[in-house]
Amino acid sequence: MMLLTKELRKQFPKLGATEPIPAEEKKVIAKFFTPDSSWTWYAVEFDGDDLFFGLVDGFEKEWGYFSLKELQAIRGKMGLPIERDRYFGQPKIKDILN
């Protein structure tokens, strides 16, 4: 599966562009997840090349930077690669934190 299409790349704000927006109001452009574990990455911004900023839900939920190349290299417990949720839509962070 292609984690990031050309069309999706165009939808991302540049890194830092959403800084004035309160965290709960930021829009998730893409959701990435491990199908064989509990990690999820909610991408909000992208540098256009490799670096995302967003909410990472792993051991804890925390904001931070993550790399497209790293997502492409990660394998879960059963060896499955990271996937993009193609049916997720683009909700605000507040709508996924329930």
Side-chain angles (χ1 to χ4, degrees):
M1 163 187 273
M2 181 180 283
L3 289 181
L4 200 57
T5 64
K6 289 180 184 179
E7 296 80 25
L8 197 53
R9 282 177 183 263
K10 294 176 187 176
Q11 295 178 37
F12 276 98
K14 295 291 181 191
L15 287 182
T18 68
E19 192 170 327
I21 300 171
E24 67 275 359
E25 293 296 323
K26 293 181 190 292
K27 183 168 75 167
V28 177
I29 306 301
K31 173 188 171 187
F32 305 104
F33 66 98
T34 50
D36 56 354
S37 76
S38 61
W39 283 73
T40 305
W41 297 261
Y42 299 98
V44 172
E45 300 173 348
F46 184 54
D47 73 354
D49 180 43
D50 182 58
L51 195 61
F52 291 102
F53 176 75
L55 184 66
V56 180
D57 186 358
F59 297 119
E60 299 179 16
K61 287 184 179 146
E62 59 186 340
W63 288 93
Y65 295 91
F66 48 96
S67 162
L68 176 60
K69 289 176 186 161
E70 288 178 352
L71 290 179
Q72 291 169 331
I74 293 172
R75 296 294 179 262
K77 295 176 184 179
M78 297 175 61
L80 297 174
I82 302 290
E83 295 184 21
R84 176 175 42 88
D85 187 339
R86 294 181 285 173
Y87 306 103
F88 185 66
Q90 294 185 344
K92 291 181 179 180
I93 290 291
K94 68 181 179 183
D95 297 324
I96 61 169
L97 289 179
N98 298 333

